Every structure is written in structure tokens, then in C-alpha cells.
Amino acid sequence: MHHVQKVIRPAMPPSRILFPFEGGLAGGSHMSALMLVEALDRARHDPLILLHRAEGTLLDDLRRRDLPWIAAPAAIAPLGKAALLLKAPARARWLRENRIDIVHSNEGLMHVAWGTAARLAGVPQLWHHRASPDARALRVVAPWTARELASVSHFSLPEGHRLARLGRAHVVRSPFALGPALADARRAAPALRQQLGLAENCTVVGFFGHYAARKRPILFLQALAEARRRTDRPLFGLMFGLPYDPGSAEEISAAIERLGLGGMVRQMGFQRPIEGWMAACDINLVTAVEEPFGRTLVESMLLGTSLIAANSGGNPEAIRHGETGLLVPPDDPAAFADAIMSMSDPALRARLSTAACADAQGRFGIDTHVRQVTEIYDRLSAAGRPALRAQPVGPPGRGSASDPARP
């Protein structure tokens, strides 16, 4: 009798995925990337977060989430114009030495700095595009370095891109948390409004985003001033964010005084967590233009905060006008004021926000995002990879004594 010997194949170790970040100021793209890192199945994927600058609100977020990270070694850390390419061979060696299987880049400089290194090292790059479709690097560098491209919206994916023609470009919506955190934020909202001393019949309008020109913070103030001229009902504006462009903070303060809004607008700075404050607002006024796919739109939908947004960029991909929010012509303060006046009706706000919440829950959950991204990872890993793993260079940081950001 012949015995058939069963061949037992060794289990493949989890694929090591590098998430490089410049460091400093954190935005919506960082929140999305960190949510993905948290949700990955560690039996299949081993994420490694690398910071070129261990500072700022991104570092704060990593500590708050208790996510390990490493600081970029001095030999590969510089990000000046010349260093983007000159340091590519050193970064490629680092990728090989640390047995990185996939480079998942999420921001401008990282796409180029680590994409060129990945190409030299023979490591596939997933270029996660979260910016304008006109970005030069997307058109010039990505076709050469990236194996696959993920775009947060159809708007941000340029027509005719080489990777799209090859079937290697995909729209992958940003992920959003569903569950107890949303209920907690809604419960916290009344107390936050009381903390500001706001009247119950006051319509609170929020601005959420850094004070960058594309976000149009001055337009937000102009719309509020125009709405105030049209009604006796109390309006109050809350601005959440930090200066992004030089002089933007002074420009905002000057505009508040010039428009006579000193008693009805408060700058709240950078707040974490932001969900309670967002739920405390009646309206999220999204004045930004050519926004690829703003997180605050979907967060507002999930929290029951009504939306008024510029009919620009990826906004129409999130909002159905008159059903889940209101879309208005961009850069038109009068049109935004008209929409604010319409949203002063609590019944309309309730109808739109209820529909928006149901729509967002069905389209933007974290599970859908993780499934789409891991399908891309599986394709990138299909050609084979080393079976052994080296340890990352340097100790991981968790805000402890081993934290490379601490003295």
C-alpha cells in the first residue's frame, strides 16, 4: 500500500508594509491612514510607520492611538529638493535591509521620496492619492514608480492616467468609524454648546479645516456676515483649525473685525477629539474648493450635522443636493448665505441629516475601506516576497522613554 506524503508548506509571515510620513501637522489624510493601520489584520500585514520629523500633531495622534513608529535614520531623513532623488539609493538600501514588501505612501513628498526608492529596490509602491488631479508628481512620477494607485475620489483621479489605462488605478473612499464614538459625541454636544453660553435657538455654523487658501476661511466669514444681514435670528460661527499659510491667522482675525463679526465668531484652534464639537454645530459650512474628498463632510453626515458645501471637487460625490445636504456655487458668499437661511429651518435640517447619516453608514465604513486596500496588497504581494523578516531600524516609539522624539 502506497502512502501519500502530505506536503506542509510553511506559513508565510505577514507582509511588511511601510507607511512613511513627513511629520508635523496632521490632516484628514493622516487620520484615514492611521485608521487603516489600526484595522489591518496583523496575521496578514505588519505595518511599519516611519516619521521623518518626530513632532507636531501627527506625533500627538500616534501617541493618542498608541501606535508604534520609528524615526527615519539620519542617512535617509533629509527631504530637501535635492535630497528627494539624491537619497533614493540610500532609502532603497534601507527598504531591502528591512525586508519591506510594500511602500504605502499617503502624502506629496513621501510619494516621490519613497516611490523612487521603492522602484530602485524592486518593492511595489501603492500611491494613495488624496490631492488635486493636477498634481505634477501624480502625472510625472507616479507612472514610473507606482505599481498601483488608490484615489479618494473620481475627481482626484485624472482622466487618461497611465495607471488607469492599465487597470491599476482605483477609487478607494476614506474610512470612517461607526459605532459608540458617534453616540458619545452626540451626547457631549449639548454640554459643549452650554460651555460656550449659546442660546438654545442659536444656529451654530462650523468651519473645520486648516486655514489654507483652498479651504476658503475668509469666504466662510463673508457668508456668515451676509447671512447675519438677512435675519434677526441668532447665528454663531465656530472655526476649528490651525494656520497653514504664512500670515493666515492674522488675516482671519482682521477679517473678523472688518466684517463686524467680533461677537459672533470664535476661533477654537486644533481640537482632538473633534467629533463632539462637530455634533454641537447645526451646520458644517464647507467652503473649500477642489477638495479631493474632505473627511469633515462624511463625519458631519454620520454625526447628524447638516451640510452646506461648495459644488466643487469631490464634494458632489459625497452629497446629493437636496437629499443629504446642499451644494452651492463655489466662491459665492451670497449663495452660501442663502443656504444658511434655508438651513435655519429645523425640519429641513432634520430631514437632510437623517438621510445623510443613513447614506454615509452604508458607503463609508472602515470595513469596506480595509477590504479594498487589502485586495490591493494581495495583488502587490502575489509575485512573491522574502520569507524572512529583519527587525526595523531603531526602537519603536510609543511616547515612552524609548520614544526617539524625546530627549
Side-chain angles (χ1 to χ4, degrees), residues 360-403:
Q361 287 179 341
R363 289 200 288 158
F364 304 119
I366 181 66
D367 291 345
T368 299
H369 180 81
V370 172
R371 176 180 54 77
Q372 290 177 304
V373 174
T374 53
E375 285 174 358
I376 297 175
Y377 289 165
D378 289 344
R379 289 196 296 272
L380 294 179
S381 298
R385 54 189 175 81
L388 299 176
R389 292 287 169 267
Q391 293 300 312
V393 175
R398 283 185 181 271
S400 63
S402 65
D403 189 332

Side-chain angles (χ1 to χ4, degrees), residues 112-138:
V112 178
W114 287 96
T116 52
R119 177 64 186 260
L120 292 175
V123 174
Q125 177 196 22
L126 170 56
W127 182 303
H128 209 140
H129 186 62
R130 307 173 186 274
S132 165
D134 299 322
R136 179 174 173 79
L138 175 67

Side-chain angles (χ1 to χ4, degrees), residues 20-35 49 51 53-65 67 106-107 130 208-212 214-215 240-244 269-272 274 291 295-296 299:
F21 295 103
E22 182 178 357
L25 197 62
S29 61
H30 302 94
M31 292 178 63
S32 297
L34 297 187
M35 285 183 66
I49 298 172
L51 298 184
R53 292 187 293 117
E55 61 184 39
T57 55
L58 177 56
L59 181 59
D60 294 339
D61 270 0
L62 288 171
R63 288 171 173 163
R64 180 174 60 84
R65 296 170 182 268
L67 283 173
N106 290 271
E107 52 187 13
R130 307 173 186 274
F208 299 88
H210 301 311
Y211 295 172
R214 181 168 57 83
K215 302 285 187 180
F240 296 87
L242 289 174
Y244 190 81
F270 184 85
Q271 301 281 344
R272 281 286 187 272
I274 192 63
E291 189 87 335
R295 285 191 63 84
T296 63
E299 288 168 340

